[in-house]
Amino acid sequence: FFSLAVMAAARELVIWRGSQFSSKAIAALRVKGFLPSKDYKLSSAPMGLEERKKLLPAPYTVPVLRWDGEVVAGSDEICAFLDERVAEPLLYPAEHEGEIRRLERAASDLYWVNGWLSTVDAAGFERWSGARVRKYVSGGGAGVGPRLLFKALPGSVTSRMIHGVAKKSYLATLRRRGAELGGETGAACLRLAAERDTALVMEEARAMLRAFDRELQASATEFFCGASEPTAADLTLYGMLERWLGNSLCPGLNGPAQPSVIDGMPGLSLAWKRMHERFQRDCTLSELDDFADIATSVGDVTWSRKG
């Protein structure tokens, strides 16, 4: 085992608590036998983009893995890197690699509706992180002014104000990313930025999820393509479901944004149950020693599956 000092220098995963792709990367490391705070250090990244540009490689987001001198950015790249370093169990089983990558991309497409239903939807936001954000603001995490305002106003008013800020920020992100990404994904972001009907977005999400449910019901195991262990595609789906159905690996801090989203989907329900039980037991992020923003740059990316 690594000492904390050696581990901090050699093996570190930079995340945000609550991030879907951070949950995926943590779960991928667990499938390979690595536990947070035991086999590698967990750190966070600043929320401000300009600060992140000084610390993280492009596109300046999480997760980013530092591992024995290598720097790997993005959850799919991290999964491929782990397959290179630890042969079994494979996150991209060789005989089904193409199909797993297709399903992984499709599960990643849930990201924007996932965020909408846990941020723009007021009830979803409240279930997912309302209590956590109120505690943060009332404790002074957002500054003295917001803390004093929080104390002076009724709780119902401050809750609406907090949700209004989160909603405005996420809609701005959808518009910005829509313009940046272009194509089908960009168009989807711009459409969601203009949407305000929770029922329509929920049905869109459920239609996407039903496709995965059919795949899982046809599989010989509870995971895609008959795999005995979760694949990269399963773990991408897990990251989305952890926010909708679980607690984003943060029991006591977060809750399920949309607890009924996979009702009537037995294949998905079984896969979710298996993965949630496993990763919740071993990878809880609620109380982490020395969990803080990184203070120095992780450096440029040194490893990519594309070479």
Side-chain angles (χ1 to χ4, degrees), residues 12-15 21-22 24-25 52 55-67 69-82 92 101 104 298-306:
E12 179 181 28
L13 182 67
V14 184
I15 64 164
F21 293 117
S22 293
K24 173 187 173 181
R52 295 201 307 276
L55 299 168
L56 299 177
Y60 317 115
T61 189
V62 297
V64 175
L65 181 68
R66 289 201 282 197
W67 200 268
E70 300 283 12
V71 176
V72 189
S75 62
D76 55 344
E77 290 284 277
I78 290 170
C79 287
F81 174 78
L82 291 172
Y92 300 99
R101 290 196 180 279
E104 182 182 37
V298 303
D300 295 329
V301 168
T302 63
W303 188 98
S304 171
R305 67 184 176 91
K306 299 174 183 177

Side-chain angles (χ1 to χ4, degrees), residues 257-297:
Q258 300 294 343
S260 65
V261 72
I262 63 168
D263 283 3
M265 303 182 201
L268 266 176
S269 296
L270 178 59
W272 158 247
K273 179 181 178 183
R274 293 283 190 269
M275 290 189 286
H276 178 67
E277 288 175 349
R278 178 176 181 177
F279 302 131
Q280 188 79 185
R281 180 180 66 244
D282 297 333
C283 304
T284 296
L285 307 178
S286 297
E287 297 179 9
L288 293 170
D289 294 334
D290 301 320
F291 183 71
D293 285 354
I294 53 173
T296 59
S297 172

Side-chain angles (χ1 to χ4, degrees), residues 1-291:
F1 297 109
F2 288 93
S3 71
L4 287 177
V6 172
M7 182 168 64
R11 296 183 171 183
E12 179 181 28
L13 182 67
V14 184
I15 64 164
W16 286 319
R17 285 193 290 199
S19 154
Q20 303 94 318
F21 293 117
S22 293
S23 295
K24 173 187 173 181
I26 291 165
L29 282 158
R30 178 63 190 91
V31 170
K32 294 293 190 176
F34 301 109
L35 296 174
S37 298
K38 181 179 180 182
D39 301 307
Y40 63 94
K41 177 180 174 61
L42 277 170
S43 298
S44 57
M47 295 305 296
L49 177 59
E50 293 308 312
E51 292 179 88
R52 295 201 307 276
K53 284 182 177 180
K54 302 173 185 176
L55 299 168
L56 299 177
Y60 317 115
T61 189
V62 297
V64 175
L65 181 68
R66 289 201 282 197
W67 200 268
D68 299 344
E70 300 283 12
V71 176
V72 189
S75 62
D76 55 344
E77 290 284 277
I78 290 170
C79 287
F81 174 78
L82 291 172
D83 267 2
E84 180 184 273
R85 294 300 173 99
V86 183
E88 296 293 339
L90 288 173
L91 300 171
Y92 300 99
E95 65 273 27
H96 300 294
E97 182 175 359
E99 180 65 1
I100 293 300
R101 290 196 180 279
R102 181 190 71 79
L103 289 164
E104 182 182 37
R105 289 191 296 271
S108 294
D109 287 343
L110 287 165
Y111 178 76
W112 301 109
V113 290
N114 188 280
W116 198 103
L117 288 168
S118 55
T119 307
V120 178
D121 175 48
F125 176 78
E126 175 61 28
R127 286 188 293 263
W128 176 53
S129 63
R132 178 182 178 181
V133 176
R134 283 194 297 275
K135 182 179 179 180
Y136 175 78
V137 174
S138 65
V144 175
R147 180 175 66 84
L148 294 175
L149 192 64
F150 189 93
K151 289 180 177 294
L153 295 174
S156 59
V157 174
T158 56
S159 292
R160 286 196 299 272
M161 290 174 64
I162 289 169
H163 173 245
V165 171
K167 175 180 175 180
K168 181 179 179 181
S169 175
Y170 191 74
L171 291 174
T173 297
L174 283 170
R175 287 189 288 269
R176 175 174 59 83
R177 293 297 285 153
E180 291 171 352
L181 292 170
E184 291 184 7
T185 302
C189 289
L190 293 173
R191 177 177 51 77
L192 284 169
E195 185 58 73
R196 297 295 182 273
D197 190 328
T198 294
L200 285 177
V201 179
M202 174 66 90
E203 184 46 44
E204 179 180 349
R206 282 179 54 80
M208 297 171 75
L209 289 166
R210 280 191 284 267
F212 296 115
D213 185 61
R214 289 191 291 272
E215 296 274 359
L216 288 165
Q217 288 194 65
S219 176
T221 67
E222 61 264 44
F223 306 121
F224 289 124
C225 299
S228 59
E229 292 282 332
T231 68
D234 295 286
L235 297 179
T236 308
L237 192 56
Y238 164 74
M240 306 299 162
L241 295 178
E242 187 60 63
R243 182 181 282 201
W244 273 334
L245 302 174
N247 50 45
S248 300
L249 291 174
C250 295
L253 296 179
N254 290 107
Q258 300 294 343
S260 65
V261 72
I262 63 168
D263 283 3
M265 303 182 201
L268 266 176
S269 296
L270 178 59
W272 158 247
K273 179 181 178 183
R274 293 283 190 269
M275 290 189 286
H276 178 67
E277 288 175 349
R278 178 176 181 177
F279 302 131
Q280 188 79 185
R281 180 180 66 244
D282 297 333
C283 304
T284 296
L285 307 178
S286 297
E287 297 179 9
L288 293 170
D289 294 334
D290 301 320
F291 183 71

